[in-house]
Amino acid sequence: MKTPKYLVPEDYMADPSVHVFDGTLYIYPSHDWESGVAENDNGDHFNMKDYHVFSTDDIENGTLTDHGKVLEVADIAWAGRQLWDCDVARKGDTYYMYFPLKDKNDTFRMGVATSDKPYGPFKPEEDPIRGSYSIDPAVFEEDGVYYMYFGGLWGGQLQRYKDNKALESAYLPEGKEEALPARVVRLAEDMKQFAEEPRPVVILDEEGKPLTADNPHRFFEASWMHKYNGKYYFSYSTGDTHLLCYAVGDNPYGPFTFKGVILTPVVGWTTHHSIVEYKGKWYLFHHDSVPSGGLTWLRSLKVVELEYDEQGNILTIEGTANE
Ligand code: FUB
């Protein structure tokens, strides 16, 4: 499947987190809609209020099942507004959905909701995860240990925190200062709290120096982790330079060395993805705003095959290539 394919042409879905459970592929996207909120740098126009889950046994030629609304703002006791990119992990017989949502003080926290089925519905906990902040959770499991990667600049509020503490005033590094890193944290046994203080996800250049704030490849949002040939691939969006990039490390905490661009800019401001192996092939799930005529808050899900060269480098995909 060398050309990308739109997955849900009848609705606007974005930020796909994708997992395979018992041989079926499940997609957990954000659900975009026209809420009428004006576009701004704070991301207020991404005013999503619920999630759907999709599944398929044949991503290339099959149809997707829409499992309907599985969680909504109205069900969450601590909710303010804006359900952004979520992810789901399985431990034992329980499926845990992790979601960023602004609380009643307009501060993003990470919530947890559970289900006994991968397609929900998900029942939210009464409170957000203690000590959680910012957006875009992505959960990676290895040998029964679960790691959450998270964080996002600007509207994602990461610049409001240092050493996991809220700052009195936000600070965004500039120029040759070190870029703000994503965070990674091990989840507790019960999957509902952090087991430790979140750590920085350090991305180094080829000389071993952390990427600086003026580097067009520095982290902005949309963390994802996958493993290929024994290496850990941390991938992410560069936000205002509109790329999906990746960096490779030897363990889930990093550091990671910058390797390259996965996807060149798509139509629409945001770019966001997941990378999954299914039935012997690797796929990039992502979104663009072509079907809505470029409206960045009305995005559409896509999938395209992802390939590596013999050294394990990801071959760059053209963001404006279409069906
Ligand atoms: O969908 C809202 C936000 O836009 C996500 O959390 C970001 O990653 C960006 O895609």
Side-chain angles (χ1 to χ4, degrees):
M1 203 175 67
K2 310 287 185 211
T3 48
K5 168 170 112 169
Y6 285 103
L7 287 169
V8 186
E10 66 279 10
D11 206 344
Y12 294 114
M13 300 280 163
D15 308 330
S17 295
V18 177
H19 294 278
V20 179
F21 297 123
D22 297 326
T24 297
L25 185 138
Y26 291 90
I27 307 176
Y28 302 96
S30 304
H31 185 193
D32 286 358
W33 68 296
E34 183 53 88
S35 71
V37 175
E39 187 174 1
N40 60 24
D41 282 351
N42 198 38
D44 288 342
H45 47 300
F46 297 112
N47 193 26
M48 295 85 97
K49 55 185 171 42
D50 60 37
Y51 295 118
H52 284 228
V53 175
F54 297 85
S55 69
T56 183
D57 290 325
D58 181 354
I59 193 61
E60 298 221 351
N61 303 305
T63 51
L64 284 192
T65 300
D66 180 354
H67 296 279
K69 200 188 293 177
V70 299
L71 180 66
E72 59 184 322
V73 167
D75 295 336
I76 302 166
W78 54 274
R81 59 179 180 142
Q82 295 181 290
L83 279 173
W84 285 11
D85 158 58
C86 68
D87 197 10
V88 169
R90 174 170 68 182
K91 184 173 185 183
D93 295 329
T94 305
Y95 295 83
Y96 298 84
M97 174 178 269
Y98 298 94
F99 57 89
L101 173 69
K102 282 181 181 162
D103 64 14
K104 295 184 195 306
N105 296 318
D106 235 20
T107 299
F108 270 115
R109 305 280 175 212
M110 231 60 95
V112 190
T114 56
S115 176
D116 59 1
K117 299 187 183 62
Y119 48 86
F122 291 88
K123 188 173 178 307
E125 295 292 305
E126 286 295 304
D127 297 298
I129 295 176
R130 279 191 301 279
S132 65
Y133 57 93
S134 201
I135 60 163
D136 289 359
V139 179
F140 171 76
E141 182 267 335
E142 186 169 55
D143 300 331
V145 181
Y146 293 76
Y147 304 87
M148 180 190 286
Y149 298 82
F150 68 92
L153 308 191
W154 298 13
Q157 302 181 345
L158 192 60
Q159 66 279 4
R160 294 192 189 180
Y161 299 85
K162 186 168 169 38
D163 300 331
N164 302 315
K165 306 261 180 327
L167 295 165
E168 283 197 7
S169 38
Y171 185 73
L172 254 183
E174 290 180 358
K176 298 298 172 204
E177 292 181 283
E178 271 183 36
L180 278 188
R183 308 288 198 268
V184 54
V185 62
R186 190 164 49 81
L187 293 174
E189 285 295 314
D190 72 357
M191 300 288 277
K192 294 177 180 173
Q193 299 295 338
F194 294 161
E196 59 184 0
E197 288 276 304
R199 311 178 191 195
V201 177
V202 176
I203 302 175
L204 304 172
D205 64 17
E206 57 193 11
E207 292 169 357
K209 297 197 184 98
L211 297 195
T212 51
D214 61 358
N215 188 314
H217 300 139
R218 61 92 173 88
F219 170 81
F220 189 96
E221 62 187 3
S223 297
W224 189 255
M225 171 58 66
H226 76 277
K227 203 172 169 187
Y228 179 75
N229 279 353
K231 296 280 188 191
Y232 297 81
Y233 285 60
F234 176 71
S235 50
Y236 56 95
S237 162
T238 63
D240 55 351
T241 55
H242 312 288
L243 302 167
L244 290 179
C245 289
Y246 74 107
V248 173
D250 293 322
N251 71 79
Y253 287 118
F256 301 91
T257 300
F258 178 78
K259 289 290 177 190
V261 173
I262 300 169
L263 186 73
T264 63
V266 296
V267 171
W269 199 94
T270 71
T271 185
H272 192 128
H273 69 299
S274 55
I275 295 171
V276 177
E277 186 180 21
Y278 190 54
K279 297 189 174 173
K281 289 187 182 177
W282 286 88
Y283 295 96
L284 176 75
F285 291 82
H286 64 109
H287 67 229
D288 71 23
S289 297
V290 170
S292 70
L295 299 179
T296 203
W297 61 95
L298 295 178
R299 300 162 293 180
S300 294
L301 281 193
K302 297 173 87 172
V303 63
V304 65
E305 199 175 332
L306 177 135
E307 295 173 289
Y308 305 84
D309 69 15
E310 285 179 1
Q311 286 73 46
N313 300 307
I314 293 176
L315 303 187
T316 302
I317 297 166
E318 181 57 50
T320 50
N322 267 314
E323 291 171 275

